[in-house]
Amino acid sequence: MHEGQPGHALGAESGSDKVDAEPAGQTESNTQTSESTPENSDLRDPGLPGHSQIEDHDPLGLNSLLDSDTVAQLRQLALLNFGEMNAIKVSAGFDSPLDHGEFSDAFLEAVRAVYVSPTGGTDFDDVYRSWKQPGSILILAEAPGRGRTTTARALLAKLRHEQPEVRVGQLSFGGSPDFPGHRLPHQANRAYVMELPPDEDDFRVAETFGATLNGLSTQLAHRKARLVVLTTPEQWRRVGTGAPTGIRPQLGVASPLEIARRWLWAESPNFPVDMWLEDPDIATLLDDQPPVDVLEIVGYILDAHRAKNSKRPDLDALAQKHSRHTDTPFDRQVLSVLAARGNWRSQLLFWHQHPHRTSFQRNFLVSCSALRGAPVAHVYASAAELATRLGELEVHLNGQTEPGVIEMIHSIDAELAEDDTVTFDRPEWDDAALEYFWVDRPLSRTKFLEWLADAPLKTNREALDSLSSQEQQVMARRIGSFAVQWAVRQRRQNPLRQLAVRWRGEALWSTFIEILTAASLNAVSASYVHEMLRQWARTGTAAQRLATVEVCAGEFGRQHTVKALLRLRHAAGSSDPDVRRALQNAVHTLWLDPTARSTLFSYVVDWCADASTREAGQEAFRALAASAEGDASALPVLLTRDGDSGFTPSTADLTTGWRAVLGGGRGLESNDADAAAVRLWLNAVRHYPGLLNEVLTILSTAVQVEEQDEPATTVESPRDRLRAIVRTWARITDGGPPADGFELPADAPSRAAVYTALTQLLDDGLVANFQRNMSRADGASLPT
């Protein structure tokens, strides 16, 4: 990589785990959002790279509402710098009136502040004036990098600003191939943005989608609502037949210089924007850059402007190349930006080539760069650990043989902050140092990744400065952020795979899931991470599959229901107990989306019927069978007939699920989950007598397995096991307030009557099975 060219942390590597996805740089442009939420903030949807449509006649009015920290958070997320955020969290609630996608006013004001209308396409204001009318639907069918997400957010932000009574947010497409009108929330005065799920595996959005938009528009109008639909040109050609005319504008391209101007103004209102952007070298650097790269340069500019100008590396060669001086602080700041854009490659080469440079100094530079914000004692010890991992001579830090912390900090041109952390007074020097190591030492990458994953887990009590739990989490976010950047930019999953393996079972696991979830929702990284999760679910280690299932059980599953279902289907083949438990939680979560129930239940039944996934199917079906329809009902969810989904499990599918559960060979302990699920269904037939015949037929049929088909390892036959569960339940004496909190109807059958009816069905099945076996035996004895 040559100086002056854009560079990203870590160079390309070879490997077998490459995820085929869109090329680097072809990410969604302008302001793109994630559901990642910094702790102690009201920002529910910090967005990603963007431009600004701000009213020129009222900049002060907007400035009074704008939180520049929010804009900084948007930029950090755009660059996948989750480690820069303070306690990144992904909200796990499911209580938003917009399917958990409502945007905060802080976020929307930031979007307005940094959105720049593209040129060369349909005018943004014309699109807005047409779309803001209730009942309007807008289709943004654009290729990656054309700003469809940004424009949608900007439309919602402008509407919210003009009409404060309108609440805006994103709407999930759901888990079915079509989007029927009843899927719209019932609230009025809303505006939504909804992305069509991409075609993947055996799921495709229905080709009739376009034809349904007229009816959808009518329902939106009744609710005084509007909708923006995001899709790709290829998908729209397939599903857009029959759509109303004139609902798909063509987007243009925003000026990189104006993008930088808006972000600099919004993030630092007193910043000398004109002085920087009128500099010829800066203007040239920004020319023709995609939005994400513009934001990267904006970060360099801000860091260079705020630097103390104390320990600059030699910039004379760079100054000569660009025909400028180094006399003034501004000249040196501009040169720092140019050097940062080139990954400080020449300056780092000069530092590494110093004749007295030691291996310990090099490792200390890598340690400081990777563990930014960690206590210097931990960084110092980690540098010695890195040397050991790389097979170098052991570094003895006890005593005074080796250089100490102060000397080492001086040797890498860094500074020791008051909080005992190491800082560099130049933009992105630490990221560039890591990228230099990655490119320069290809045979050390695997060991480096192992060291990096273990770094937050290490502690050095001899330093009397062990890492606190909070410091470990901060370091983990920094490392996880690096791992996401490297994986996405280099299309290699090695760093994230290493974290999954090393952090499983550790306190950092939840942080890893948070970062992975944030990356799956971040428009810059989403396409790569989604495909990576699909590979992990199919062929990954137990740790990778566990991570995939837990991500699918969270916000990713709520926003990308179809993708979550497909990945859970692949992960169901794992025999790992933690994966199966996580799968059970994911099934619970996704069942909350009525549109996902039909597909989800069909997968669970398939798992139950397949020997290779039967254990996963048992746990998943049991989770659903043991769930009641809300706190105010004694009815199991699988027996509900009038729910929002319109989905009714068939008797055959319910029988398949119960066959897998009751054939699992569990005992009759008081905490037995199978017995608890059976008891729930037995209690339900007393509360709802009309279900008696159906439920008892399902249970009795599920255990009518021919003797030769029963697994040899089963402790007792499923029939005997069911009979024992029901007999134990029937012995309970009714009296006093109902155990389940629900009063029984007058015609409720007694426990004894239910037991007797089920026993008769079981005996009838036993007789029928005996007769079949006799007929088969008689047929086999006939002469041929």
Side-chain angles (χ1 to χ4, degrees):
M1 186 178 296
H2 299 290
E3 191 165 43
Q5 293 179 336
H8 301 298
L10 299 201
E13 63 169 298
S14 60
S16 60
D17 60 352
K18 181 175 180 179
V19 172
D20 295 326
E22 55 185 310
Q26 302 221 352
T27 52
E28 194 70 291
S29 67
N30 291 359
T31 305
Q32 306 168 357
T33 64
S34 163
E35 282 293 316
S36 307
T37 306
E39 198 168 24
N40 301 322
S41 169
D42 66 344
L43 188 66
R44 291 190 61 186
D45 196 335
L48 298 179
H51 319 316
S52 175
Q53 174 71 21
I54 177 174
E55 290 75 16
D56 294 333
H57 65 276
D58 186 26
L60 294 179
L62 180 57
N63 189 34
S64 66
L65 296 173
L66 184 64
D67 181 0
S68 59
D69 288 340
T70 298
V71 180
Q73 291 164 357
L74 304 189
R75 183 172 58 81
Q76 293 297 336
L77 286 172
L79 301 174
L80 306 181
N81 286 338
F82 304 121
E84 296 298 321
M85 307 300 292
N86 180 24
I88 282 290
K89 298 283 184 182
V90 178
S91 180
F94 199 73
D95 54 357
S96 168
L98 302 183
D99 279 4
H100 195 61
E102 188 170 341
F103 298 153
S104 73
D105 285 335
F107 164 67
L108 295 170
E109 289 302 328
V111 170
R112 292 180 57 240
V114 296
Y115 180 74
V116 173
S117 295
T119 59
T122 308
D123 184 73
F124 175 86
D125 289 331
D126 291 341
V127 172
Y128 173 74
R129 278 191 292 270
S130 174
W131 170 79
K132 71 177 181 178
Q133 304 305 319
S136 297
I137 298 177
L138 183 68
I139 304 296
L140 297 182
E142 298 289 343
R146 294 298 301 273
R148 63 178 192 179
T149 301
T150 306
T151 299
R153 309 295 193 198
L155 288 168
L156 269 60
K158 188 174 178 67
L159 180 65
R160 172 72 174 169
H161 177 71
E162 288 188 359
Q163 303 181 33
E165 71 278 7
V166 177
R167 297 171 69 177
V168 304
Q170 58 193 35
L171 182 65
S172 172
F173 181 83
S176 57
D178 54 2
F179 189 83
H182 67 75
R183 279 281 292 119
L184 285 175
H186 297 295
Q187 291 84 357
N189 287 325
R190 298 292 196 268
Y192 312 103
V193 57
M194 179 177 72
E195 182 175 0
L196 298 188
D199 299 336
E200 185 180 69
D201 289 350
D202 56 357
F203 179 88
R204 292 163 68 88
V205 174
E207 294 183 359
T208 57
F209 176 77
T212 66
L213 294 183
N214 281 303
L216 198 59
S217 176
T218 301
Q219 298 198 41
L220 287 167
H222 288 162
R223 295 175 172 85
K224 296 182 180 180
R226 307 96 175 146
L227 175 66
V228 182
V229 177
L230 306 181
T231 181
T232 62
E234 297 78 15
Q235 188 179 49
W236 183 244
R237 281 193 292 269
R238 187 178 64 79
V239 305
T241 303
T245 58
I247 65 173
R248 181 197 171 188
Q250 300 293 326
L251 301 183
V253 179
S255 163
L257 198 65
E258 289 307 308
I259 297 173
R261 187 182 308 280
R262 296 292 184 171
W263 277 91
L264 288 169
W265 172 84
E267 189 168 342
S268 185
N270 297 320
F271 189 83
V273 177
D274 291 339
M275 179 179 71
W276 274 92
L277 297 187
E278 290 174 3
D279 183 271
D281 287 325
I282 296 298
T284 301
L285 193 64
L286 288 166
D287 191 38
D288 289 332
Q289 296 299 318
V292 171
D293 286 40
V294 171
L295 294 193
E296 194 172 71
I297 296 170
V298 165
Y300 299 157
I301 291 174
L302 290 170
D303 288 346
H305 180 75
R306 296 163 180 164
K308 300 176 184 177
N309 199 36
S310 56
K311 290 189 176 182
R312 300 284 185 187
D314 179 35
L315 296 170
D316 290 338
L318 188 60
Q320 184 176 4
K321 176 181 177 181
H322 288 271
S323 301
R324 68 184 305 151
H325 301 289
T326 60
D327 300 336
T328 69
F330 179 70
D331 281 316
R332 291 192 293 274
Q333 288 169 355
V334 171
L335 289 170
S336 292
V337 171
L338 299 176
R341 186 61 175 160
N343 287 315
W344 295 97
R345 181 60 55 82
S346 295
Q347 292 75 22
L348 282 165
L349 176 61
F350 179 81
W351 183 87
H352 280 80
Q353 286 179 325
H354 191 282
H356 300 298
R357 187 67 60 220
T358 67
S359 170
F360 188 36
Q361 290 172 343
R362 294 188 180 96
N363 288 327
F364 188 71
L365 175 62
V366 172
S367 184
C368 289
S369 300
L371 309 181
R372 182 168 60 197
V376 67
H378 187 78
V379 173
Y380 186 63
S382 295
E385 171 67 18
L386 177 59
T388 302
R389 292 289 184 98
L390 297 180
E392 302 173 6
L393 294 176
E394 185 176 356
V395 179
H396 298 281
L397 300 184
N398 295 330
Q400 300 192 64
T401 302
E402 301 293 344
V405 166
I406 297 175
E407 184 177 347
M408 294 301 295
I409 291 175
H410 175 76
S411 72
I412 63 172
D413 297 326
E415 295 180 352
L416 184 62
E418 292 183 0
D419 61 354
D420 250 6
T421 61
V422 181
T423 63
F424 296 100
D425 190 30
R426 63 205 70 163
E428 303 300 323
W429 176 267
D430 44 8
D431 282 0
L434 286 178
E435 193 270 347
Y436 187 98
F437 170 82
W438 189 264
V439 175
D440 194 46
R441 305 290 173 172
L443 301 185
S444 300
R445 291 172 182 169
T446 299
K447 294 297 182 182
F448 166 73
L449 291 177
E450 293 175 357
W451 167 84
L452 188 66
D454 287 342
L457 306 174
K458 296 287 184 178
T459 184
N460 191 330
R461 299 188 182 278
E462 294 179 356
L464 304 179
D465 193 17
S466 300
L467 287 178
S468 67
S469 174
Q470 182 177 2
E471 287 172 333
Q472 284 182 308
Q473 298 295 334
V474 170
M475 191 185 303
R477 284 193 294 274
R478 163 70 171 165
I479 292 172
S481 175
F482 273 137
V484 170
Q485 291 179 34
W486 299 339
V488 172
R489 290 171 175 172
Q490 304 305 323
R491 325 313 280 177
R492 301 285 187 233
Q493 56 177 269
N494 303 65
L496 289 170
R497 181 177 59 188
Q498 196 68 245
L499 295 187
V501 172
R502 297 278 174 166
W503 291 1
R504 182 187 178 183
E506 302 287 349
L508 301 181
W509 180 256
S510 60
T511 300
F512 176 66
I513 298 302
E514 289 170 6
I515 291 177
L516 203 57
T517 299
S520 74
L521 301 175
N522 185 308
V524 175
S525 54
S527 63
Y528 177 85
V529 174
H530 293 183
E531 178 61 23
M532 183 191 76
L533 292 175
R534 187 164 74 113
Q535 289 190 11
W536 283 16
R538 282 176 164 175
T539 59
T541 63
Q544 290 170 292
R545 287 186 169 183
L546 179 62
T548 299
V549 174
E550 291 195 13
V551 169
C552 289
E555 195 65 22
F556 171 77
R558 299 186 183 100
Q559 293 192 30
H560 301 281
T561 308
V562 173
K563 290 190 173 186
L565 289 173
L566 295 172
R567 281 147 188 77
L568 292 178
R569 185 184 66 180
H570 294 310
S574 174
S575 60
D576 185 90
D578 290 338
V579 175
R580 292 205 300 269
R581 280 190 291 270
L583 189 68
Q584 183 176 344
N585 293 333
V587 168
H588 263 302
T589 298
L590 295 180
W591 186 264
L592 295 176
D593 181 356
T595 69
R597 292 176 184 173
S598 177
T599 304
L600 174 62
F601 189 69
S602 69
Y603 285 173
V604 171
V605 172
D606 288 343
W607 301 342
C608 290
D610 188 333
S612 65
T613 58
R614 187 164 295 146
E615 290 189 19
Q618 289 169 350
E619 303 222 7
F621 185 86
R622 185 188 305 115
L624 295 177
S627 299
E629 184 67 17
D631 296 334
S633 172
L635 186 66
V637 295
L638 293 180
L639 293 176
T640 303
R641 296 296 181 265
D642 55 353
D644 295 334
S645 66
F647 164 64
T648 300
S650 69
T651 299
D653 286 344
L654 291 173
T655 301
T656 300
W658 274 115
R659 178 174 291 121
V661 169
L662 294 172
R666 290 172 177 260
L668 287 174
E669 296 82 2
S670 59
N671 62 346
D672 179 52
D674 294 352
V678 173
R679 289 193 295 269
L680 176 67
W681 283 49
L682 295 177
N683 289 331
V685 303
R686 300 188 70 203
H687 288 285
Y688 304 92
L691 294 174
L692 178 63
N693 291 334
E694 179 183 1
V695 169
L696 297 189
T697 299
I698 289 170
L699 293 175
S700 61
T701 305
V703 296
Q704 288 179 10
V705 181
E706 296 188 24
E707 297 297 331
Q708 61 266 30
D709 293 335
E710 292 185 6
T713 57
T714 301
V715 176
E716 68 279 333
S717 74
R719 183 187 303 106
D720 292 343
R721 185 161 180 252
L722 176 62
R723 189 193 299 272
I725 293 173
V726 179
R727 182 55 181 161
T728 303
W729 169 83
R731 288 174 175 170
I732 300 174
T733 302
D734 289 331
D740 55 13
F742 300 104
E743 294 290 342
L744 292 170
D747 60 342
S750 66
R751 294 176 183 269
V754 174
Y755 169 69
T756 299
L758 181 60
T759 299
Q760 289 176 350
L761 289 174
L762 292 176
D763 290 345
D764 290 343
L766 185 62
V767 171
N769 188 45
F770 178 78
Q771 291 175 340
R772 281 194 300 271
N773 290 335
M774 290 297 295
S775 298
R776 189 180 298 114
D778 291 342
S781 62
L782 292 175
T784 59

